[in-house]
Amino acid sequence: MLAFILRRLLQSLIVMLAVAFIAFLMFRFVGDPVEGMMGVDARLADREALRDRLGLNDPFYMQFWTFVKNAARGEFGISYRLQQPVTQLILSRLPATIELAVVSASLALIVGVTLGVFTAIHGRLPPSSRETLTALAAIILPALALWFLGRGLLWSFGAAALIFVSTAFWAKSFFSQAVMAVSLVGVSLPTFLIGIGLIFVFAVELKLLPSFGRGQTVELWKGWSTGFLTKSGLLSLILPAVTLSLFQMTLIMRLVRAEMQEVLRSDYIRFARARGLPESTINFRHALKNTMVPVITITGLQLGSIIAFAIITETVFNWPGVGSLFVNSVQAVDVPVMAAYLLFVALVFVVINLIVDLLYYLVDPRLRVDGRSGRA
Amino acid sequence: MTETDAQTPVLSVRDLVVDFPLRRGNFRALHGVSFDIAPGEVLGVVGESGAGKSMTGAAVIGLLTPPGRITSGEVYLQGQRIDQLPEAEMVKLRGKRIGMVMQDPLTSLNPLFTVGQQLIETIRQHLPLSEAEARARAVSLLEEAGIPRAAERIDSYPHQFSGGMRQRVVIALAIAADPELVIADEPTSALDVSVQAQVIKVLKKLCESRGAAIMLITHDMGVIAQIADRILVMNAGRIVESGPVGQVIRHPREPYTIKLIDSIPTLNRESEAPVPAEAATPESAQDAYVRVENLTRDFSLGGGGSFFGRLFGGKDKIFRAVNDVSFSIRRGETYGLVGESGSGKSTCAKMIAGLIPPSSGRIFVDGADVWSAEGAASRRRNVQMIFQDPYASLNPRWRVGSIVAEPIKALKLTSNRSEIEDRVADLLRKVRLDPVAMRKYPHEFSGGQRQRIAIARALSTQPAFIVCDEPTSALDVSVQAQVLDLMSGLQEEYGLTYLLISHNLAVIRQMANDVGVMRQGVLEESGPVDEIFDHPKAEYTRMLLDAVPDLDKVA
């Protein structure tokens, strides 16, 4: 186990070095930094002096080594655009991104797994036509009634949505069928459209939630500002978190559903039934744990991309996170920030993958080495 | 069992009809099945796959796979009608009053929970015991089911047990709440003969000590003969014949029963393999078509198990799967290799077929070393293999024609399309299949037909030597007889040499000229079949032979 962790850490180090090299190359290909820093009318001697001071006359590998050394210490130079240390810039933006990612990942995981299990259990048989008709009538008729009473479109939609959720209790196979259909929308609609749609409904029309920013923040510790502690901070979190989680949610749900259906057909589930265990134990204890390995893999990767590539959501909601910092830096060719961001993303993925690998061992005892392989 | 009528039967099934309403119409799986099981009685239910035996068991315990359902008929447990109970009531019955043992011990335990966790949850579900009491009961159940050092092993995971041990765990689980009836669905079919005998003993003992009735579903008449009191022969969803075991086996009345009993290869039948001219003494090595010399294969088990063993590069543990095995096969004959699972017979086969390299030792086929550079080329053409599971060894996404033609194309025997097609058609005819079969997919065929397709594939390169690894163990007895007939027919026709690997001693006796008995990688004994089976020298061979359930042993 220890050897496994050490080996994985070594591999991670190699990955990080490779990414660092790519990030380093960016500096060389984007043009001469001295050109940008000194302007056209600087003297040649001054330029030479600056080149020397910046270490640009050193051989290539020395420059790379200096870059890696500085990166390991968390120093990535000064942002061209904002004239602040890059590390400080990223750290000041990080809390916003992490909080958004954690909330939307938990949302995706909780709702996704629950719906996945539900649709797997109740979606085995298609709903009877009677069940479908009753459910559809129950959803559509009140909505139409509200519309005719002049309560407006949003009231009708709200009522329809509430009744739809309630079908989970009385028209189970209709609900799971419908959820599967709706989930297609979650997979196929682009994030920015969902974001703009939510802003239109909840911020512009209903004026319930703020449409941009993270509201008021409270400084916790060493510059970590949190939006969890104020009402406006929490309210601002809702829309971006929902937007960001919708795709992951549907993905996890479909994955859990497919895995779960596979597991429910297996012999040990049949045997668990034959042992007289109640359905809830079978579904949530025996079946769910067996679906976890692929779910952990995908969720881990998705969490990585939520943190690293929340760019679109952050842009739509003007969320002051790392993603929008990156977008702005790209526009201004702010190479130090881009390089640091690249390394940061790689670090996030490497760490998450390491955790995922360790979780496998926790979930599946068969992976814990005990010398029973290679039997003929 | 003469007073059976006086007592209430534990289980009583009347005119049970099970239907599967499918899109293309109704499929009736059971056509009015009726039977009784008295307390303490073992009822054996036999029949080929698809006969409805497992369906009957599933219907009794209320676990029919949807859309299957009981259309009519009644099921009584101790006089109480149970087929119409709501699901909530059925759940309370399962495990508590009806226990079930399923066929495959490797898949019927949840791999992510320890054996103890699964036992304790079952016990606490049915009996009002505390965690500690349930644990104590679990340990005693495991001991009763014949697991040594149960208290230590209770916290192991299922994969840390062997197949036979896992089946004991499953039995312990089935009897956890003292059920009145145990439905055992093929409890021993996935096990080795010696393990099978032990598991049967465990079942029988439990039945005696607890007075539980057992409904034993199996396709193996031998098992029934050994343990059951009464027998129920089923075919196509109907009961064909029933009665006391001895009577049905010795004097079967129905033609179906007679056919079923006749197709079972028995140990005592005279060997049907063509007897070679005795002129050539077996020892003359020149005569041997296949010669295996001092074959050894080691597997590395990874590090020493502990963290530090791995960390400091401790020496890998070595598992010697095959240890110094030598034998030879004469041209046109069959050599049988028997032994329990894990004895190294399949590893031997894989080395001979060129799938895994030996650690040391040499293999000659037709005088050429299989693992030398030049021998490998001729091996690919001359040596073919038939695998155990015809469901897994054919690519489900390929048409049969492509499957059979693949070796021809891979070895570039011909590249002309119409010639390939002709050859495939010819091969399919050889294995008694309609050449139209080449346009179909493997799932459209039954197990026996699939094994014929596998044989056609093996024949496609016109090999002289075929390694058959358990070719019939996944098949029904009557189908097994057909496949074995086909194999001996082909052998006579084309002078094929076979290496036949099987755990079924009767099959070996019927097919092979010579036999080798393997145990833990060592060839215990090797020689002509009749000599070894009639006068076994090794203790282990004798034990194996004794463990085979045989119809003649019926009381």
Side-chain angles (χ1 to χ4, degrees), chain A residues 267 271 275 285-286 290 373 376, chain B residues 100 107 110 121-122 126 347:
Chain A
D267 277 354
F271 186 55
R275 282 192 272 148
R285 191 173 139 93
H286 285 271
N290 275 287
S373 54
Chain B
M100 189 158 183
T107 57
N110 192 332
E121 89 183 329
T122 313
H126 299 298
T347 312

Side-chain angles (χ1 to χ4, degrees), chain B residues 290-433:
Chain B
V290 178
R291 210 164 74 242
V292 175
E293 288 176 357
N294 310 98
L295 202 58
T296 299
R297 170 73 203 193
D298 294 330
F299 285 109
S300 158
L301 291 184
S306 69
F307 296 169
F308 297 102
R310 278 183 86 80
L311 192 58
F312 301 117
K315 269 194 106 178
D316 278 3
K317 271 191 200 159
I318 299 288
F319 170 68
R320 184 154 282 192
V322 176
N323 190 359
D324 199 18
V325 167
S326 307
F327 59 85
S328 58
I329 315 175
R330 287 182 298 274
R331 189 185 291 273
E333 291 198 359
T334 303
Y335 186 87
L337 212 48
V338 290
E340 297 176 62
S341 53
S343 64
K345 41 188 207 310
S346 288
T347 312
C348 254
K350 284 182 193 151
M351 286 189 283
I352 293 169
L355 296 179
I356 51 175
S359 303
S360 70
R362 298 208 286 174
I363 302 152
F364 296 94
V365 174
D366 206 8
D369 188 340
V370 165
W371 283 97
S372 68
E374 60 277 20
S378 67
R379 179 208 78 216
R380 280 165 55 109
R381 178 160 178 180
N382 272 332
V383 184
Q384 288 291 330
M385 192 157 178
I386 301 171
F387 295 90
Q388 171 168 14
D389 189 350
Y391 294 86
S393 65
L394 303 176
N395 188 336
R397 308 259 189 275
W398 281 24
R399 288 179 201 276
V400 167
S402 320
I403 292 174
V404 176
E406 193 189 14
I408 303 177
K409 287 179 189 156
L411 295 178
K412 300 194 175 62
L413 298 181
T414 172
S415 50
N416 184 335
R417 275 191 66 170
S418 64
E419 200 181 325
I420 291 178
E421 197 147 309
D422 287 347
R423 274 217 204 180
V424 171
D426 188 43
L427 285 164
L428 290 174
R429 268 192 293 271
K430 273 184 198 166
V431 296
R432 327 281 190 260
L433 283 174

Side-chain angles (χ1 to χ4, degrees), chain A residues 24 44 180 197 261:
Chain A
F24 170 70
L44 265 180
M180 289 307 291
Q261 283 180 328

Side-chain angles (χ1 to χ4, degrees), chain A residues 1-4 6-7 124-125 266-279 281 285-287 289-291 363-376, chain B residues 61 63 65 91 94-95 98 100-102 104 107-113 117-118 121-122 125-126 157 159-162 170 173-174 299-301 307 310-311 319 321 341-342 347:
Chain A
M1 191 69 180
L2 195 59
F4 169 79
L6 286 178
R7 204 165 54 230
R124 267 175 292 184
L125 296 174
S266 66
D267 277 354
Y268 51 83
I269 296 300
R270 256 175 70 86
F271 186 55
R273 290 225 169 80
R275 282 192 272 148
L277 300 182
E279 276 300 304
T281 314
R285 191 173 139 93
H286 285 271
K289 197 172 175 190
N290 275 287
T291 63
V363 169
D364 196 335
R366 285 168 297 184
L367 297 175
R368 297 172 206 155
V369 186
D370 75 336
R372 265 188 137 269
S373 54
R375 294 271 311 257
Chain B
I61 200 168
L63 282 179
T65 17
V91 169
R94 279 182 216 132
I98 309 178
M100 189 158 183
V101 179
M102 305 216 305
D104 192 348
T107 57
S108 47
L109 295 171
N110 192 332
L112 304 188
F113 293 92
Q117 284 170 337
Q118 301 190 44
E121 89 183 329
T122 313
Q125 181 66 38
H126 299 298
Y157 286 95
H159 69 274
Q160 292 164 319
F161 289 87
S162 68
V170 171
L173 275 165
F299 285 109
S300 158
L301 291 184
F307 296 169
R310 278 183 86 80
L311 192 58
F319 170 68
S341 53
T347 312

Side-chain angles (χ1 to χ4, degrees), chain A residues 255 259 263 287-300 356-357 359-367, chain B residues 112:
Chain A
L255 187 73
E259 285 295 321
V263 170
L288 190 58
K289 197 172 175 190
N290 275 287
T291 63
M292 280 292 105
V293 166
V295 174
I296 288 171
T297 316
I298 297 293
T299 313
V356 163
D357 279 346
L359 279 179
Y360 285 171
Y361 278 78
L362 211 64
V363 169
D364 196 335
R366 285 168 297 184
L367 297 175
Chain B
L112 304 188

